[in-house]
Amino acid sequence: MTLEVEQAETGAEDSTDTLLERITRQLPHLRRSEQRVAAIVLDNPVGAVHFTMAGLAEAAEVSEPTVMRFCASVGCEGFQDFKIQLAQTLALGLPVTHSSISAEDSSADLAEKIFDHTISSLDRARRTLDADAVEHAITSLLGASDILFVGFGASGIIAQDAQQKFPLFGVPCQAPEDFHQQFIAATMSGPRSVTVAISNTGHTEQTLIVAEAARKAGATVISLTGRTSPLSDLADIALVARTFEDTDVYTPSTSRLAGLVVVDVLATGVALRRTPEHTAAVRRMKSELASMRQGVAVAVDGAESAGTPEAAAS
């Protein structure tokens, strides 16, 4: 039985949307006078946070009661609550819908907008990620005999990163890049096997085929997508890392970053519930890796020193 991560489109997002997201969504349903207030806020949200009620009413050419009705329409308890929520939204940086990249941007502007977009997108993924689904996924991974990570393109990179965390998962993990190898691994799954199928769109045909093969073989399927989709409908446990959609060709994709963070959450959650012996083994492994890195650094420094005139003279 599929564990639905998202509720209906409005139900899941109403409680987690930022103020700017709510205003954008409600815009078509506002009165014409309230839309003028919304236009002022959306056009310059940084400036709007400094408005008094009278100032916002004057800028929008409406009455102060209209500003109060606007605040109520977008889920605020009053004008002060509106300003607080707007400031909280801006504290995370403007989402891409309010900071579009243009050819006239300086390097500093470009960096600021991309960081704003990435931070706000990761925050959106955090706010909308279903905690119960994460708990079910961690429990399933904790009881797995083996784990198969599958994905293509950018999702394939997430799968490869997940496979690299196999010491944290504590069981054999694989993430074959070839579709046929993925399909073979899925069909050879057992009742305690877990397949984590990754696709931002949730429509990638090969991923759907592999996930279906894993289910037929008796494995538990966990999907990681950017929205509800055929893949999340197919999965036993559906994780949705919702980010802001790209609005132009210049905007970088943040879905990969959100997927990597969700994998970190799963791996860490599983590792924390393993036995103390497993935790000790992971710590030993990391300590030995650190020692090897230090040894390599010393060897490199020694080789460089041996090549200097001072070293030759000695």
Side-chain angles (χ1 to χ4, degrees):
M1 181 177 178
T2 299
L3 176 65
E4 292 293 337
V5 176
E6 289 186 316
Q7 302 168 13
E9 279 298 308
T10 54
E13 296 183 335
D14 283 352
S15 62
T16 58
D17 279 358
T18 65
L19 177 60
L20 290 176
E21 291 168 14
R22 293 205 306 272
I23 294 174
T24 302
R25 190 180 68 247
Q26 289 292 333
L27 189 60
H29 310 292
L30 298 175
R31 299 177 183 178
R32 185 170 300 178
S33 58
E34 294 173 9
Q35 288 180 353
R36 291 210 293 270
V37 181
I40 295 294
V41 176
L42 294 176
D43 184 59
N44 184 13
V46 176
V49 79
H50 300 293
F51 272 125
T52 62
M53 185 189 302
L56 182 54
E58 181 180 355
E61 299 181 347
V62 299
S63 65
E64 291 186 29
T66 296
V67 173
M68 288 297 294
R69 284 197 302 270
F70 163 77
C71 293
S73 297
V74 295
C76 299
E77 296 181 0
F79 185 71
Q80 288 305 313
D81 183 44
F82 162 77
K83 292 187 67 173
I84 290 171
Q85 291 194 40
L86 181 57
Q88 291 172 336
T89 299
L90 297 177
L92 289 165
L94 288 172
V96 69
T97 50
H98 300 284
S99 56
S100 298
I101 294 170
S102 69
E104 290 74 29
D105 286 337
S106 66
S107 297
D109 291 337
L110 180 65
E112 182 176 1
K113 287 180 178 181
I114 291 178
F115 270 100
D116 280 349
H117 171 53
T118 302
I119 292 169
S120 56
S121 281
L122 287 177
D123 176 65
R124 190 183 199 210
R126 177 187 63 81
R127 288 184 284 108
T128 57
L129 187 64
D130 187 277
D132 289 337
V134 172
E135 176 64 28
H136 280 75
I138 289 174
T139 301
S140 295
L141 292 166
L142 191 62
S145 59
D146 57 281
I147 305 172
L148 171 66
F149 297 99
V150 297
F152 294 91
S155 297
I157 295 174
I158 301 173
Q160 292 294 317
D161 177 78
Q163 194 275 332
Q164 291 294 312
K165 293 180 171 60
F166 73 91
L168 297 179
F169 286 110
V171 295
C173 299
Q174 57 178 320
E177 297 182 39
D178 180 74
F179 165 65
H180 293 94
Q181 292 178 346
Q182 291 182 12
F183 183 79
I184 292 169
T187 57
M188 297 302 292
S189 298
R192 291 186 57 216
S193 300
V194 173
T195 291
V196 181
I198 306 166
S199 170
N200 184 51
T201 65
H203 286 80
T204 305
E205 183 179 359
Q206 294 96 324
T207 305
L208 287 165
I209 292 173
V210 173
E212 182 63 36
R215 283 202 65 178
K216 287 182 178 178
T220 297
V221 175
I222 300 172
S223 67
L224 175 53
T225 64
R227 62 186 67 86
T228 53
S229 61
L231 181 58
S232 58
D233 291 339
L234 182 153
D236 298 290
I237 303 170
L239 300 173
V240 177
R242 183 186 294 275
T243 58
F244 289 110
E245 295 295 331
D246 295 343
T247 58
D248 57 54
V249 295
Y250 301 110
T251 306
S253 171
T254 56
S255 61
R256 185 191 311 175
L257 293 175
L260 291 170
V261 173
V262 172
V263 167
D264 279 343
V265 171
L266 298 178
T268 304
V270 171
L272 288 173
R273 301 185 190 189
R274 292 287 181 194
T275 62
E277 291 77 14
H278 177 261
T279 302
V282 172
R283 286 177 177 166
R284 276 198 311 273
M285 175 269 294
K286 291 195 171 185
S287 177
E288 291 174 7
L289 282 175
S291 298
M292 286 192 292
R293 283 193 292 268
Q294 291 175 353
V296 170
V298 170
V300 170
D301 290 342
E304 289 178 348
S305 298
T308 62
E310 293 82 357
S314 63

